[in-house]
Amino acid sequence: MTPIEVGILGATGMVGQQFIALLAKHPWFKVTWVGASERSAGKAYCDAAAWRLAAPLADEIAKLQVNAAAPGNAPQLCFSGLDSSVAGDIERAFAEAGHVIVTNSRNYRMTPTVPLLIPEVNGDHLALLDAQGAAMGWKGRIVTNPNCAAVVLALALAPLRQFGLTKTMITTLQAISGAGYPGVASWDILANIIPHIGGGEEEKVEIETKKILGRMQPEAIADHPVVISATTTRVPVHNGHTASVSIALDHKPEPAAIIDAWNSFKGEPQTMGLPSAPPQPIVYLTQPNRPQPALDVNRDGGMTVTVGRLRTCPVLDYKFIALGHNTIRGAAGAAILNAELMHRLGRL
Amino acid sequence: MTPIEVGILGATGMVGQQFIALLAKHPWFKVTWVGASERSAGKAYCDAAAWRLAAPLADEIAKLQVNAAAPGNAPQLCFSGLDSSVAGDIERAFAEAGHVIVTNSRNYRMTPTVPLLIPEVNGDHLALLDAQGAAMGWKGRIVTNPNCAAVVLALALAPLRQFGLTKTMITTLQAISGAGYPGVASWDILANIIPHIGGGEEEKVEIETKKILGRMQPEAIADHPVVISATTTRVPVHNGHTASVSIALDHKPEPAAIIDAWNSFKGEPQTMGLPSAPPQPIVYLTQPNRPQPALDVNRDGGMTVTVGRLRTCPVLDYKFIALGHNTIRGAAGAAILNAELMHRLGRL
Amino acid sequence: MTPIEVGILGATGMVGQQFIALLAKHPWFKVTWVGASERSAGKAYCDAAAWRLAAPLADEIAKLQVNAAAPGNAPQLCFSGLDSSVAGDIERAFAEAGHVIVTNSRNYRMTPTVPLLIPEVNGDHLALLDAQGAAMGWKGRIVTNPNCAAVVLALALAPLRQFGLTKTMITTLQAISGAGYPGVASWDILANIIPHIGGGEEEKVEIETKKILGRMQPEAIADHPVVISATTTRVPVHNGHTASVSIALDHKPEPAAIIDAWNSFKGEPQTMGLPSAPPQPIVYLTQPNRPQPALDVNRDGGMTVTVGRLRTCPVLDYKFIALGHNTIRGAAGAAILNAELMHRLGRL
Amino acid sequence: MTPIEVGILGATGMVGQQFIALLAKHPWFKVTWVGASERSAGKAYCDAAAWRLAAPLADEIAKLQVNAAAPGNAPQLCFSGLDSSVAGDIERAFAEAGHVIVTNSRNYRMTPTVPLLIPEVNGDHLALLDAQGAAMGWKGRIVTNPNCAAVVLALALAPLRQFGLTKTMITTLQAISGAGYPGVASWDILANIIPHIGGGEEEKVEIETKKILGRMQPEAIADHPVVISATTTRVPVHNGHTASVSIALDHKPEPAAIIDAWNSFKGEPQTMGLPSAPPQPIVYLTQPNRPQPALDVNRDGGMTVTVGRLRTCPVLDYKFIALGHNTIRGAAGAAILNAELMHRLGRL
């Protein structure tokens, strides 16, 4: 198979580097174009970016010349890890020019005709793309993945909709990589907790989750009616957002039914055998002190959400712990899985 | 004033060391007796205990000879930081022998005639002592302070009872010192989160808080009816338990009324001017990213609970963040304040 | 090829778990026997050991029944990760009973007829085994690998012997996994430095390195004459011992000659293509702020020692930084490479 | 006594905040003027600076209006915590305008007529000020304190000059606060070691120490002849630079003589009873695992350098561990002690 050439917008940042690392041996996609700020344009990628991942930077990427983040010579398909301060304009310019942008940035997530996609949960939302071009005036398309905390919650909740999910309370303990680079100053977070994440993080978790779990309608999504209350905090962990979650379920299932719903949950990525799909998107761990970032975050390449400690909640019905890799399942890996699904469905 | 001689049970452990540090310059109490395990008995304190606090160990304590943890030559008043695996038998032996034991151990906290005391919140619960001797067959008495996470919650909730408190959901991020020494292995917690604390921590937070907030009756406490759901986790922080709390309040007060209730909350320690009493037991911080352990845990010698981020909760009514020093307000400092109140009330 | 059955002594500890993880997919060796303390004997491995590695525990190991650490039904070849407090007696018992013990424990490292082996450096020291049986009265044999800090130093120095190596000064910054489990208490090391490692760590680095670099003689090793001064400290890092090293070299080579000596260094593991051999045992990194544990410790499965920052030393001749994975290249991986070399040389 | 009004240059940075915290209750100096960048000028200090210390910000400072960092209405005496990228020009402008600048910035440390001062070590270097005005063309004066790692080394070495100090090898483990704020990104240093500090840190330690220990001559300092080799690394510690040091001493003293030289070392700050002077500038700790940042860095308000683990060095003569608080003894506290000495000597 001829590889599909792809570009990376925001290629020098934390998420951009994660895109490059994850695509290094991808069976379908090949990075042939990297875009970044004007300051980096013209340099070799290895000179423009301080590589900060333990995974080695492939020589052929290291030598790529960085382009300004503008359409023109970029491939048809571009992944975006752009900072939200610039993503709005740049991604629109690419979409207007006919590119397909599969982005981790938040700017278009709540736009009615833009899918906010988790392939296992709401692959049918891709049908929004049929209306997107006309609604937005774009020749190309934009598809987004959720906020890195919302994706963990939405995946954990998706199999529970069948039990009459009405309320969710979540407190997150979020890793520093979620803040990008340089992100959180070490003086602020070493051996400390910061009980606040800027940029409307709590609202994002609340509203994005309702759209993700919502029902497809011709030109928009009908939000799922679950009421969500989110508190988000920052903790001194490299990767992995941990969440303490309580839920109300109208049908009052037995715990075994919930655990079975998680472990048996599958979507199109699994049935289609997409390259980045984990064998089981949600895994329930039975040990009393799991999931933990240090032990569980990289399960199946960081694409599996692990849950544990399901028990009765005196205030709502049940409570549990969930964990997901915020820069893989919650960012670059999420976008790549989105593109894989789109490719297989003929939407690239 | 002649100092009151006191003993420390469990003097070599983490809480025992904190007792010694806090009492080093106490205006009323003077440590003249230290008790520990048989293995330490007969040694000088500085040889029996590996001192682990930054506060220096006073020479006169360093030279004290360690006693076995048995009554006999111990002072009338003893503070206890014993491990719960041995505290039950030892504290009972002291109480039978006529000592007053002011303890941080959990063993007798839920015993009906034993006060579970936070002086600002439920000083009137000391009246249980009138019935304790007959009920338990003790010449002496035992008074307990709460679990280190429960004390933070109970203090934050106490001023809110007037608003018709009915439900509380709490997720804690607890410091490693709460596990004693050696406690949590560094391999397990460095740059990690452990979403579970053993020994029934969540149940302790739920049931102790209800007793603390309860109403005094002749020979027992009528639990406060608030329904509590607790999730407790361990984080890589030295001192300070942070809590994400949501509450339901029947009277639906304005946020300003809640903040005012916190900031104006005072109890007997403040009106009596007890030596360890903070000027204001609960302080509301207005900055959006506070309280934080690194910045706020030592406020007023670690005896103040700080709260912040009060905001509407979509599921219950309000949510906020609370923080307290777990080995001071949540352990040794708590017990010392208890003893100060008892002394002033003539109950020593 | 029929797999060679192997046993693991001290199978439940930190190094024992690392043995199991590294051997999970080994092409030659298959773990069929696990030995631990009496307390664990008779239990299934997964019940006896709290698995603490992110790598999953294979089902077939999980179900193995743990044996007491005594010869009898153990395979001919056993790897040992026993604690030094018990390794002396147990390993001798196995050797007397005819087993080949390839051990990470320190007890026999300095015994004259016991090889202290780094296959790339001193594979010829295996010839000591010819005299070992008679000298020790053993039917079997014992082969050791170095202390986890000594192995980093010895590998970095081995290619420099040709330049007239006379003096070495080393200060290490050692990871917590080097202390086993539970090892260092989190209270002691979180956001802290402990400038001391117990058990004679500095002496081990000094004397073991001289033996490793020494010259084979019929029944013992003639120590290398280099004078070594070691200071060892503990730092809050999971895996990877970093070292600041200064050296005196009589021949005063150019820096390029030193770097070339490192990068071109190879030994029997590379020429034989042993399964655990890294392609290049020592890699010089040119970036000014490398090597770093977070980025470099897992290079080539943790079997490569990385060096960097070579520069002139005003007191001796040159200085540099070195880094190695202490539980892989410095413990379990080292022993496995030793056994691979012995197998290929017909010494198993 | 009427307080001496002082200004703080670079008042919003990490060192500037430390100046303000340390001067909050100073018996002689009162902060009445704060200077920062144009961006902050005109704002109230509490709005211009994100206060990052646990010590509370005094109300009277919080309300001060920030000035641009230019002479004019500034007090005669100004402390400077300016970043070195701007300190050169600004400090010169103040000196030309007649101010006395007591600075932590590095820009003028190696200027021949500028004292590089540690009051206990080289108070006589203040005599350079007699020649400074003419040499530099300044009406005012500039006095500097050393780099935060050099001050620890210079203090530890000063009492050893009497033993014929000829060589020093040092490897530092430096705290993150030494990099200012935001300084080191948490992604880079959490559970990691960075074996390099930019900006010529190693050279600063080498050359500054030689000047500090040098001999006063009319218009310059004759460097001490000790040969120094420094390696500097960054570790995940908030405050406190730890150093592993080896030394060659021509006179070959006994260890007891060295320890006595440290413990009995005193200078003018102690004999004059300066407000910020620690009772004993260097304290030798006898425990085998000390000094440690977590336990020892705040000794005597952070102005004491602690040393420990003195033992024979196989390569040079002796080796030991030293520790000092980098933003107090190594920055703000150092400058304040300098100003106290100058005031007492009539040089303000």
Side-chain angles (χ1 to χ4, degrees), chain A residues 14 52-53 176-177 180-192 235-239, chain D residues 14 52-53 176-177 180-192 235-239:
Chain A
M14 184 73 96
R52 290 178 209 97
L53 301 180
I176 56 176
S177 58
Y181 187 89
V184 188
S186 54
W187 176 259
D188 289 333
I189 197 67
L190 180 62
N192 194 25
V235 294
V237 164
H238 279 101
N239 292 311
Chain D
M14 184 72 96
R52 290 179 208 96
L53 302 181
I176 55 175
S177 58
Y181 186 90
V184 187
S186 53
W187 177 258
D188 289 333
I189 197 67
L190 180 64
N192 193 26
V235 294
V237 165
H238 279 101
N239 292 309

Side-chain angles (χ1 to χ4, degrees), chain D residues 94-117:
Chain D
F94 273 75
E96 288 172 354
H99 294 272
V100 175
I101 301 298
V102 181
T103 179
N104 178 59
S105 300
R106 72 170 190 236
N107 305 61
Y108 295 100
R109 283 184 196 147
M110 299 309 294
T111 301
T113 57
V114 173
L116 179 54
L117 197 66

Side-chain angles (χ1 to χ4, degrees), chain C residues 176-215:
Chain C
I176 55 175
S177 58
Y181 185 89
V184 187
S186 54
W187 176 259
D188 289 333
I189 197 68
L190 180 64
N192 194 27
I193 299 297
I194 304 175
H196 177 255
I197 297 179
E201 187 81 0
E202 296 174 350
E203 291 69 23
K204 281 187 252 177
V205 172
E206 293 172 359
I207 63 175
E208 292 185 11
T209 303
K210 292 168 63 70
K211 177 172 178 178
I212 297 162
L213 299 179
R215 207 176 62 253

Side-chain angles (χ1 to χ4, degrees), chain D residues 77-248:
Chain D
L77 172 62
C78 287
F79 293 103
S80 167
L82 287 166
D83 188 82
S84 60
S85 61
V86 298
D89 289 348
I90 294 173
E91 294 181 357
R92 186 180 56 241
F94 273 75
E96 288 172 354
H99 294 272
V100 175
I101 301 298
V102 181
T103 179
N104 178 59
S105 300
R106 72 170 190 236
N107 305 61
Y108 295 100
R109 283 184 196 147
M110 299 309 294
T111 301
T113 57
V114 173
L116 179 54
L117 197 66
I118 301 176
E120 288 93 341
V121 172
N122 64 352
D124 62 317
H125 290 199
L126 278 176
L128 286 174
L129 293 180
D130 299 337
Q132 189 187 90
M136 304 301 289
W138 296 340
K139 271 178 33 194
R141 296 290 183 272
I142 293 182
V143 169
T144 65
N145 60 264
N147 165 278
C148 52
V151 71
V152 178
L153 181 62
L155 260 167
L157 294 183
L160 310 184
R161 287 175 291 186
Q162 62 182 299
F163 301 122
L165 175 71
T166 58
K167 294 177 189 169
T168 296
M169 186 97 78
I170 176 173
T171 293
T172 66
L173 296 81
Q174 300 187 208
I176 55 175
S177 58
Y181 186 90
V184 187
S186 53
W187 177 258
D188 289 333
I189 197 67
L190 180 64
N192 193 26
I193 299 297
I194 305 174
H196 177 254
I197 296 178
E201 187 81 358
E202 295 176 348
E203 290 69 23
K204 280 187 252 176
V205 172
E206 292 171 0
I207 63 173
E208 292 185 12
T209 303
K210 291 169 62 71
K211 177 173 178 178
I212 296 162
L213 298 179
R215 209 176 59 253
M216 177 66 204
Q217 291 180 321
E219 297 197 9
I221 302 300
D223 279 356
H224 189 280
V226 61
V227 177
I228 304 176
S229 174
T231 294
T232 58
T233 75
R234 189 73 70 192
V235 294
V237 165
H238 279 101
N239 292 309
H241 290 354
T242 304
S244 163
V245 185
S246 281
I247 49 174

